Each structure stands twice: as C-alpha cells, then as structure tokens.
Amino acid sequence: MFQDSVTHRVTDMRRRRRFRVANWLAMSLGLTALEALVSALILLFMTVGLPWGEGGVALLAALCSACVFGVTSFPAARTLMDQQRLRYLDVLGAPVAFLAAVSLGWLVAQLANAPPAAPDIPDMLAFGAAGLMLGLVRWALYRHVLAMMHVGQFQVDRIGLIGHMDDLHHFEQRSKIWRNGAQVVVRLDPAGIDRDALALDRFISEATARGCSRLIIVGDYAAPSNTLLLKKTLYAARGYALGIAFSPQPRLPPGAAQMLSLSTRPLDDGAQLTKRLFDIVAASGALLVTLPVLVLVALLIRLEGGGPVLFRQQRKGFNGETFSILKFRSMRVTESTGTITPAKEGDSRITPLGRLIRRTSIDELPQLLNVLVGDMSMVGPRPHANSQDRELDRDFADYAGRRRIKPGITGWAQVNGYRGELISPLQVEGRIRHDLDYIANWSLMLDIKIIWLTAFSPTTHKNAR
C-alpha cells in the first residue's frame, strides 16, 4: 500500500518489528521512566564520591534526585509526542533539570543528618559532565524514537475510516498516517449502509471493541450523500467515547488545514489517567473507612429475613458495555432480569432496613468494588436498569451521550436534586442535561466537590426512595 509514496529504504524499515502502545500518554511515561532509570544508574555509580554521606543516606539522596529528574523530564517527552519533532530547548533542559535534581538530593541528605559537606570543584565537574551526558542521552533517544515513528514502527492511535474504497486508498497512501503512529483497524464503505440499516451501528461497535479512539470520514463535503453520512455517523456514535473528524480532500495530505474535527473524546488520555487514579485512591479509602458499616449491614440483612446480602443487576456502562452493578439488597423481591419496576415512595417491596439504607445511600456502598475493578467511577452519570435504559434511549436523543464516560456511584445530577423515581419528561431532561454538563466540564476538583455534596448536602438525599 505504501510502495508508491515511500523509498525502498523506508519500506524496508517498515518491515521491522512494530510496537503497539496503549496511547500517547503511555509513550510519554515510558520515555520519562527510561530517562529516570539512566539518571539513577549514573547517580548510583557516582554515589561513592558524592558528598551526601554514607550508606543508606547516599542511596536515598541519589534515588530522590533520579525521581525528581524523571518528573521534570515528562513535559519534554509529552511535547515530543504532541509535536513529533525534536526541540533543542528540551535537550538543553536535561542538564539543567539534572543539576536541580542533584541539588535537591544534597538537601535531602542534609535533612537526613548526613555529615555536612559542600561539593568541591571535582564533584561539580562530575555533576556537570553527568548532566551533559544525560542531555546527549535524551537527544539520541528522542531522535531514535522519531525515526521509528517516521517509518511506522509505533502503533498508538487506532482509527476507523468511512468512505468509498478508492478515497480511503488515496487517503492512507498519500497522508502517511502511519508516521503519526496511526493504525487503521476498521473500514466501512457507505454502500454497505445503504444495503443494511444497522451496518453503521455494527461498524462503530466493532471500532470501539478494537480500541479505536477516532473515526475519520473521507469524501467530498459538497456531495449530499456525504452530508447525510456525517449526520448519521454523529448520531450513531453519540453514545461512544470516539473522536470524529472529516477529511474533505482524500487525495491530498490531511494536515491540520485539511481535517475538520466534528467531535472529540470527552476525556483525553491524561484526564482518564487522573480520574482513574483518583477513583482507585478514593474507593480504597472509602472501603477502609466504611468497612465496619459494610459488615454490620450485611449481618443485619441476613438477620432480617435471610436471602442474599448483595443485589446484582446488569447495567450499561462506558461505551454501552454491560456490567453487573452491586448493591445491598433492600427489597424482599430481587428483579434481576426482565422488566424492572423502579422503587416508589411507600413501595411495599422495601424492607424496614432497606428503607433506612436507601435513604442514607448505604445500599450503594458495595459499588466501591465496581469502581476498583474499573466498571464504574466514583462520580459519573448514574446507570439505570437495562429495560428503563432502552426506553429512555428511544425517547430522548441525547440520553446515549451519558455513556461516553463511566457511570458513577454519585453524579452532578444527583447532588442537584435529580435523584430517585423519574416521574415526568422534565425530570429526565434535567438529569440528562446535568450529566452532559458534567461530561463537558469535567475536572478533578468537580469530582471532589460532587463527593463532598453527596456526603453533606441535604439536596442529594431528598428524593431517595
């Protein structure tokens, strides 16, 4: 496919082993870890002659300096991935960052009660030489990574293409998308959509299952058929965390000027990592704090009438994937399949203990396990029973957009009073609106605010049933 647009040397290099990487953030973290490892080896080699004390103190100071240097290396690695070019300012920043890290290591040694000693001139020259060596290491490492990217050895960004096969062929051949770490994993010809109404839905599901981060529609924007295709694709993909772009000039290299972004992922790689780390820390801490309550409630449920302690039910989560949500059983009847009847005020199925734990949201605490395994998040749109989910998906066009991030134990809609039974369309629209606002404006501080309001705001619990 690439024979017509690259030299034989580049074609030969592309036959080398390729490396599949989760995302650009993982690439950046990998480069950062490698630089930190090199600096740690250099510092450990120099430990004997460093004025940092002896034994464990010197080792601690060296490792602290290496960690600091690694942290300061991340912005340079991230810039390399974003711009895909070598900036000599980043190379020159390596010696400066190393010397700053060494200074901090010396301070750590003094705080650890090492014998006070200032570095002499030979030590300073050794530090300077080590800093220059790390600058050369960064220069060589970044050049090698860029060379591997240039010939498509890194497969980072998995994409799906929609368009007529001739246009897709020219798009892939002329644009050299593999230079940017892109790998086409699925393709769809619009003719298939005309023959099968569900072809587009299956294509998007397959693209998501195969790890695509975006879809690119290739074709002539002026063509009425492509305008309709854009609308169909945006509608079909509204419930998936996919970026969607349009390339109106398939036979030209699609630089920034030739690509029109129609939709972006709600959370980029960095935001997803931040949210996931917060979920793990918060869920682990909450489980430790509430462990006595969990044990007590489980015993009381068994004593109240026997039967299972936990209630499991299938729900739709991130990108429409099905998972089993966990709750403390609060009803005499557990409906796990078929049509689900939502709880109402005064519902006779709710046990006395169940009424208490539902009112205080204690019945939701087992979902901390859902968070730890990755099915849910601490904060996000609340998932509904599958039967209710299908009805709302059919009746409200924007409802599916809630599935573009993981469902949560609590959410922005819940702390604003949209909790409990959905009686009117206005309540449904209010919940959808608040959930979509949360997705569009996500931040770590917003998650912390919502958790705080969930715990202490009376508005959160006023509609609990």
Side-chain angles (χ1 to χ4, degrees):
M1 177 179 292
F2 302 98
Q3 290 280 355
D4 297 335
S5 58
V6 295
T7 63
H8 290 292
R9 175 179 175 273
V10 171
T11 304
D12 180 66
M13 292 181 69
R14 291 196 73 252
R15 295 195 183 104
R16 300 180 184 180
R17 182 180 178 184
R18 300 183 187 181
F19 301 91
R20 182 170 180 174
V21 185
N23 49 53
W24 293 114
L25 178 62
M27 281 278 292
S28 303
L29 291 173
L31 290 176
T32 299
L34 187 57
E35 287 193 73
L37 177 62
V38 173
S39 67
L41 293 175
I42 292 175
L43 286 170
L44 291 175
F45 179 77
M46 297 173 62
T47 296
V48 177
L50 294 179
W52 288 350
E54 299 179 354
V57 173
L59 181 62
L60 174 65
L63 293 178
C64 179
S65 298
C67 290
V68 172
F69 176 74
V71 171
T72 58
S73 299
F74 178 75
R78 189 64 177 169
T79 300
L80 180 74
M81 295 297 101
D82 291 340
Q83 300 185 8
Q84 297 185 6
R85 66 183 182 89
L86 180 62
R87 298 195 318 171
Y88 287 98
L89 182 63
D90 292 330
V91 175
L92 295 175
V96 176
F98 177 75
L99 293 177
V102 167
S103 300
L104 183 60
W106 179 82
L107 179 61
V108 169
Q110 304 311 307
L111 294 176
N113 298 320
D120 53 21
I121 292 180
D123 290 331
M124 296 174 66
L125 291 176
F127 289 144
L132 291 176
M133 183 184 302
L134 283 172
L136 290 174
V137 168
R138 177 176 291 183
W139 174 79
L141 176 63
Y142 284 12
R143 277 182 60 88
H144 184 64
V145 168
L146 287 175
M148 293 177 69
M149 291 175 61
H150 184 77
V151 296
Q153 284 190 263
F154 288 118
Q155 297 176 343
V156 185
D157 187 16
R158 279 161 284 282
I159 64 175
L161 296 181
I162 303 176
H164 297 289
M165 288 304 161
D166 287 343
D167 289 341
L168 299 187
H169 172 75
H170 285 284
F171 177 84
E172 294 182 61
Q173 188 178 51
R174 299 288 181 87
S175 65
K176 303 176 185 178
I177 54 177
W178 38 269
R179 285 190 174 182
N180 299 322
Q183 176 193 12
V184 180
V185 295
V186 284
R187 300 170 180 81
L188 176 66
D189 193 313
I193 303 176
D194 298 333
R195 293 191 300 266
D196 183 356
L198 298 178
L200 184 56
D201 292 329
R202 287 197 299 269
F203 169 78
I204 293 176
S205 296
E206 181 184 0
T208 304
R210 299 186 66 175
C212 284
S213 59
R214 58 185 173 136
L215 303 177
I216 299 178
I217 303 169
V218 181
D220 182 5
Y221 183 77
S225 59
N226 283 334
T227 303
L228 181 60
L229 178 62
L230 291 176
K231 294 179 179 178
K232 287 183 177 179
T233 304
L234 287 171
Y235 183 80
R238 70 194 188 284
Y240 297 87
L242 289 170
I244 299 177
F246 180 71
S247 176
Q249 297 172 304
R251 298 174 187 272
L252 295 176
Q258 286 81 39
M259 294 290 287
L260 176 64
S261 178
L262 304 176
S263 174
T264 59
R265 292 187 299 163
L267 301 181
D268 60 21
D269 297 334
Q272 289 184 44
L273 177 62
T274 301
K275 189 170 176 61
R276 181 59 184 152
L277 291 176
F278 174 74
D279 285 341
I280 293 173
V281 172
S284 301
L287 275 174
L288 290 176
V289 171
T290 60
L291 184 59
V293 177
L294 293 171
V295 174
L296 177 61
V297 172
L299 290 174
L300 291 176
I301 291 175
R302 293 290 292 179
L303 292 174
E304 187 179 41
V309 170
L310 293 178
F311 167 65
R312 294 177 173 85
Q313 191 178 77
Q314 295 295 302
R315 301 287 172 94
K316 280 189 176 181
F318 180 61
N319 280 339
E321 296 177 357
T322 301
F323 71 100
S324 294
I325 195 171
L326 300 176
K327 289 186 179 184
F328 277 128
R329 184 175 61 84
S330 59
M331 292 185 177
R332 296 182 178 87
V333 180
T334 58
E335 299 164 311
S336 59
T337 59
T339 301
I340 307 299
T341 305
K344 300 178 181 180
E345 187 171 3
D347 199 315
S348 60
R349 298 172 298 169
I350 302 177
T351 65
L353 175 62
R355 200 171 305 280
L356 174 63
I357 63 176
R358 290 172 74 94
R359 176 69 65 178
T360 56
S361 299
I362 292 175
D363 64 321
E364 311 283 1
L365 289 179
Q367 290 165 38
L368 293 170
L369 298 175
N370 287 118
V371 174
L372 287 179
V373 300
D375 291 331
M376 296 180 65
S377 177
M378 290 296 291
V379 181
R382 288 292 297 159
H384 299 123
N386 284 349
S387 58
Q388 188 180 26
D389 197 74
R390 287 190 293 269
E391 293 177 5
L392 295 174
D393 207 359
R394 182 187 65 239
D395 297 337
F396 298 89
D398 294 333
Y399 178 81
R402 303 166 72 255
R403 295 194 287 266
R404 301 187 75 210
I405 64 171
K406 291 181 181 180
I409 296 178
T410 184
W412 185 235
Q414 281 64 43
V415 299
N416 282 279
Y418 291 96
R419 180 188 173 180
E421 185 183 1
L422 296 173
I423 300 175
S424 69
L426 288 178
Q427 286 181 306
V428 179
E429 291 171 357
R431 183 176 293 187
I432 294 173
R433 184 177 67 254
H434 280 80
D435 286 336
L436 297 183
D437 285 345
Y438 166 78
I439 295 173
N441 299 287
W442 177 87
S443 69
L444 182 59
M445 291 306 300
L446 181 57
D447 274 5
I448 295 173
K449 176 182 178 180
I450 292 173
I451 291 175
W452 175 269
L453 291 174
T454 300
F456 300 107
S457 173
T459 304
T460 306
H461 307 283
K462 70 178 184 179
N463 292 325
R465 298 284 185 266

